[in-house]
């Protein structure tokens, strides 16, 4: 049976007209589905019982469900989220003093092969549907209200998958999350994080979504990047930079570079200088992310000294740099660790 949430408002309108009902009925149902995130026809209280029964006979609503919820000592909540076909993704709620952030997945597994990321070890099984992305946000919003008495404030597409490889659904989900007739959240508090697919970055710039963009850079030295993120061979840094400049020109929104410092890999002066040179080409800032070990020995050498040097040199060069503490490490909810240790996939 068809999932009613695969229908657009226009298609839903056509449907109600085709069964001899009123066009405005579509708006009412759409509101239950996308604004109130309701998962059963039975609760649609302004729809008559006979009509609810017709809908029940003709459509399904495939909600996601929380299969396993783990709470970290630092308040981070990791959800193993079950999809209608039994596959699992992970969605994380990250509370701080001032905000609660949802870290959502865009794919089941990932097709990229970043050596340092746990998700890369999983096969990409499929893209998430629009509703599956929106459901993650709605469920974390409810958790935020339940556990922290405040609604979700930020959303980052930094869970499983590469959002720009599930482009259409991610863009449509963002529209549904931000539209007043959807969840009504602010696009400026949404960050799409990508490993860097130039063509798709440009396309996203043209959507006028008003979201923020982050690039997982990790090194601005081409050869090194190709080694630790092998897929990037197809996307030279010059092309990525050109796409980022296009992004800035179109959106006026500063780009964040996500960057882990690994002893023996990117802790040298030449690495810092390459990063500074890269940053100077487009309005940007740097997030130094604390690496979460995933059992790949090569990346396990943290160098606090090198991190400090990065901060000093970047600041000297007038580049904004932030050091991001890792959250949820004790429950494997931290970046790159979302690899379904529950073992069902
Ligand atoms: N595919 C997208 C989004 C998912 S990754 C992207 O690459 O941006 C989210 C962030 O976590 C990326 O910056 C990624 O490089 C980083 N990351 C991956 N594995 C990590 C790990 N083990 N420790 C810390 N950060 C990691």
């Amino acid at each position: 049976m068809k999932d009613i949430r695969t229908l657009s408002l226009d298609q839903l309108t056509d449907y109600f007209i085709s069964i001899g009902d009123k066009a405005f009925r579509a708006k009412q149902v759409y509101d239950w589905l996308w604004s109130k995130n309701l998962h059963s026809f039975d609760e649609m209280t302004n729809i008559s019982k006979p009509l609810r029964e017709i809908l029940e006979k003709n459509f399904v609503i495939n909600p996601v469900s929380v299969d396993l919820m783990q709470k970290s000592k630092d308040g981070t909540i990791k959800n193993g989220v079950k999809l209608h076909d039994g596959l699992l993704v992970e969605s994380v709620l990250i509370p701080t003093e001032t905000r609660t952030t949802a870290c959502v997945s865009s794919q089941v597994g990932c097709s990229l092969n970043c050596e340092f990321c746990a998700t890369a070890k999983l096969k990409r099984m499929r893209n998430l549907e629009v509703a599956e992305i929106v459901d993650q946000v709605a469920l974390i919003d409810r958790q935020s209200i339940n556990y922290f008495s405040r609604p979700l404030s930020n959303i980052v597409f930094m869970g499983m998958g590469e959002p720009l490889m599930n482009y259409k659904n991610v863009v449509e989900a963002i529209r549904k999350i931000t539209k007043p007739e959807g969840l009504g959240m602010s696009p400026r508090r949404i960050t799409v994080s990508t490993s860097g697919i130039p063509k798709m970055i440009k396309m996203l710039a043209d959507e006028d979504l008003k979201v923020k963009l982050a690039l997982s850079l990790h090194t601005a030295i081409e050869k090194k990047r190709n080694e630790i993120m092998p897929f990037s061979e197809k996307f030279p840094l010059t092309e990525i930079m050109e796409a980022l400049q296009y992004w800035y020109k179109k959106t006026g929104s500063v780009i964040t570079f996500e960057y882990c410092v690994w002893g023996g890999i990117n802790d040298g002066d030449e690495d810092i200088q390459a990063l500074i040179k890269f940053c100077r080409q487009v309005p940007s800032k740097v997030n130094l992310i604390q690496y979460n070990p995933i059992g790949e020995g090569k990346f396990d050498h943290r160098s606090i000294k090198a991190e400090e040097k990065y901060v000093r040199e970047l600041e000297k060069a007038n580049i904004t740099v932030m050091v991001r503490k890792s959250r949820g490490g004790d429950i494997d909810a931290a970046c790159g660790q979302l690899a379904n240790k529950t073992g069902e996939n």
Side-chain angles (χ1 to χ4, degrees):
M1 243 191 314
K2 205 174 175 69
D3 185 340
I4 193 163
R5 291 193 293 179
T6 59
L7 299 188
S8 67
L9 182 57
D10 282 347
Q11 288 168 326
L12 209 53
T13 307
D14 290 346
Y15 170 75
F16 282 110
I17 290 171
S18 78
I19 60 167
D21 205 317
K22 304 278 193 303
F24 73 83
R25 200 72 69 208
K27 274 223 170 65
Q28 292 177 319
V29 171
Y30 200 81
D31 183 62
W32 286 116
L33 295 173
W34 294 109
S35 175
K36 307 213 168 56
N37 194 245
L38 211 72
H39 291 159
S40 89
F41 295 112
D42 233 18
E43 293 169 83
M44 299 184 177
T45 47
N46 59 357
I47 309 293
S48 72
K49 186 111 204 292
L51 185 53
R52 275 185 266 156
E53 276 163 11
I54 293 175
L55 292 175
E56 193 85 52
K57 276 207 194 91
N58 290 286
F59 296 103
V60 289
I61 304 173
N62 285 328
V64 304
S65 59
V66 177
D67 194 55
L68 179 76
M69 194 183 111
Q70 289 168 279
K71 279 179 94 174
S72 157
K73 291 195 289 269
D74 65 20
T76 302
I77 298 178
K78 178 172 90 166
N79 299 286
V81 170
K82 195 174 220 151
L83 311 174
H84 67 91
D85 53 4
L87 292 173
L88 282 177
V89 290
E90 293 176 335
S91 323
V92 186
L93 183 165
I94 307 154
T96 67
E97 296 269 297
T98 49
R99 49 169 84 168
T100 30
T101 301
C103 176
V104 298
S105 296
S106 53
Q107 299 182 307
V108 186
C110 189
S111 60
L112 305 184
N113 45 11
C114 308
E115 283 186 343
F116 48 83
C117 178
T119 307
K121 310 272 175 274
L122 302 171
K123 239 188 27 225
R124 189 204 74 106
M125 309 287 283
R126 69 172 174 85
N127 284 337
L128 291 194
E129 300 291 334
V130 176
E132 290 168 336
I133 298 171
V134 175
D135 276 355
Q136 292 176 71
V137 172
L139 96 81
I140 293 190
D141 187 40
R142 287 193 291 268
Q143 277 181 343
S144 181
I145 290 165
N146 279 344
Y147 292 97
F148 303 100
S149 311
R150 60 190 188 205
L152 196 59
S153 60
N154 296 70
I155 301 165
V156 294
F157 282 85
M158 296 185 191
M160 293 168 80
E162 166 52 48
L164 299 189
M165 302 278 258
N166 181 15
Y167 184 84
K168 214 171 114 261
N169 291 351
V170 165
V171 167
E172 183 54 28
I174 292 173
R175 294 197 198 284
K176 294 251 170 14
I177 292 163
T178 54
K179 276 190 180 164
E181 63 272 30
L183 296 179
M185 296 186 182
S186 163
R188 292 178 207 283
R189 289 167 172 273
I190 299 179
T191 301
V192 174
S193 177
T194 178
S195 297
I197 302 156
K199 202 175 83 194
M200 308 314 277
I201 291 174
K202 286 187 180 171
M203 232 160 122
L204 192 69
D206 287 333
E207 301 280 350
D208 196 25
L209 286 175
K210 309 219 160 36
V211 294
K212 296 208 172 107
L213 183 71
L215 176 82
S216 300
L217 184 58
H218 302 302
T219 170
I221 299 175
E222 187 95 59
K223 197 167 148 282
K224 266 188 205 182
R225 199 164 189 268
N226 292 346
E227 273 164 31
I228 60 176
M229 302 167 81
F231 77 91
S232 70
E233 263 191 353
K234 284 182 277 175
F235 311 115
L237 282 171
T238 45
E239 271 178 41
I240 293 182
M241 180 47 76
E242 198 229 324
L244 297 178
Q245 287 165 338
Y246 183 85
W247 168 272
Y248 185 76
K249 202 174 82 199
K250 276 278 174 150
T251 66
S253 161
V254 171
I255 293 138
T256 301
F257 295 130
E258 291 157 276
Y259 202 103
C260 292
V261 179
W262 294 291
I265 294 183
N266 60 358
D267 57 348
D269 287 340
E270 69 280 13
D271 297 288
I272 302 179
Q273 291 316 315
L275 175 60
I276 291 175
K277 205 169 144 209
F278 197 75
C279 289
R280 286 209 165 118
Q281 296 173 61
V282 72
S284 53
K285 58 183 182 190
V286 175
N287 265 358
L288 290 185
I289 319 172
Q290 198 183 316
Y291 182 65
N292 306 296
I294 61 155
E296 287 287 326
K298 162 172 163 193
F299 296 99
D300 279 354
H301 311 285
R302 184 170 183 208
S303 168
I304 296 185
K305 244 175 140 177
E307 277 172 32
E308 285 167 357
K309 186 147 194 208
Y310 264 92
V311 173
R312 265 197 323 272
E313 296 294 321
L314 287 165
E315 282 178 346
K316 223 166 42 186
N318 274 325
I319 295 161
T320 307
V321 52
M322 274 164 308
V323 181
R324 288 261 176 256
K325 269 228 316 270
S326 175
R327 303 288 305 268
D330 55 330
I331 52 166
D332 284 339
C335 307
Q337 296 190 309
L338 303 178
N340 279 302
K341 285 223 176 137
T342 48
E344 285 199 35
N345 273 359

